[in-house]
Amino acid sequence: MHSIRPMDAPFGAEITGLDLNDAPDDLVFGEIVDALHAHGVLCIRDQRITPEAHIAFSRRFGALEVHVQSSFNLPGYPEIYRISNCVDENGKAEGLAEAGRVWHTDLAYLAEPSRCSLLYALEVPHDDAGRSLGATMFASTTLAYKALPEATKQRLQGLTAVQSYAYIYDNITAISKPGRQGLKPLNDEQKNKVPPVEHPLVVQHPHTSAPILFCSGGMTERIVEQTDGGALLRELCDHAIDPAFVYRHDWRVGDLLIWDNIQTQHLAVDDYWLPQRRRMQRTTVKGVAPKAA
Ligand code: SIN
């Protein structure tokens, strides 16, 4: 018997009592989808899932993306992207260690940003007292929009913003610490695969119709209609991550975390390194082109 319990946070919920190696029936899956829309982030605890089960469960939300950085896809399972600071016996990185170091929305740089992502924790780093490190912070873009002054909401009507993979890549490269994995500059093929896109600054959630503030400090390059040197965008991105709208996920091994990419943005906290190991596997579900709210 499973249960769904809201987190002690502005949003997010925990699900216990499910083993995703046994596919949930349609009724239970419907509850999970409703909970995702209601809470934005869901943590399904205590999983020991195979890559097949991770992919099969993820596919029920929609078709899966294959990440542009294919060298970090799990061999034999291109739909699974590895996020990890671990290296193999030859010193070769087993995953992208620097993923998500700045606030962003997964795949917002595509014409059809991701609907949701499902990140599974295989190994979690910890400090000497056993407290987990490498948390993921989430901010609710629904709560952020709701809290804007009415005059600002009016001002944002009709504005569009540029979301860019090259921009977030450069932002992460710029803060990468010496001695870390380091990111190679994007090659032309990778850049051409993902040119910048423009999306409305306030979008309508495709399932709940709620208005969403669709910009993030790491991935949104500029507001197309503004010539203010980026002041409005900075103000909005700072507002979006106000602690009143933030949930911090401290990982446990076996967590499968699902987040709604339209009503949240996130950041991976950089507070650990080898020999502390962090090993995660992510699937990313395709979404639809966002409509202006
Ligand atoms: C990501 O998907 O941005 C990475 C999140 C994380 O590793 O915590």
Side-chain angles (χ1 to χ4, degrees), residues 81 83-84 96-102 104-106 117-119 134-138 168 172 249 251 257 259 261 266-269 272 278 280 282-284:
Y81 184 58
I83 296 173
S84 178
L96 180 63
E98 315 278 22
R101 295 292 193 221
V102 292
H104 69 287
T105 298
D106 290 336
S117 302
L118 297 91
L119 188 61
T136 310
M137 312 285 289
F138 291 90
I168 185 174
I172 293 178
H249 186 70
W251 289 90
L257 202 70
W259 61 84
N261 272 311
H266 60 281
L267 167 144
V269 176
Y272 63 92
R278 188 176 190 269
M280 308 264 170
R282 190 183 90 189
T283 52
T284 316

Side-chain angles (χ1 to χ4, degrees), residues 44 46-47 50 59 62 67-68 74 90 102 107 112 150 174 188 207 213 229 245 286:
I44 307 183
D46 307 318
Q47 300 303 302
T50 60
R59 276 212 178 110
H67 202 277
V68 62
L74 185 66
N90 302 315
V102 292
L107 310 192
E112 295 177 341
E150 215 39 58
D188 285 346
H207 299 277
L213 182 59
F245 322 133
K286 286 180 194 282

Side-chain angles (χ1 to χ4, degrees), residues 146-159:
K146 247 191 218 164
L148 286 172
E150 215 39 58
T152 310
K153 288 181 181 169
Q154 295 300 324
R155 191 173 168 208
L156 303 188
Q157 293 259 319
L159 299 187

Side-chain angles (χ1 to χ4, degrees), residues 112-155:
E112 295 177 341
S114 164
R115 173 183 186 186
C116 59
S117 302
L118 297 91
L119 188 61
Y120 174 46
L122 291 150
E123 292 185 65
V124 175
H126 56 81
D127 67 13
D128 292 344
R131 282 182 296 259
S132 78
L133 298 169
T136 310
M137 312 285 289
F138 291 90
S140 166
T141 46
T142 317
L143 295 179
Y145 181 77
K146 247 191 218 164
L148 286 172
E150 215 39 58
T152 310
K153 288 181 181 169
Q154 295 300 324
R155 191 173 168 208

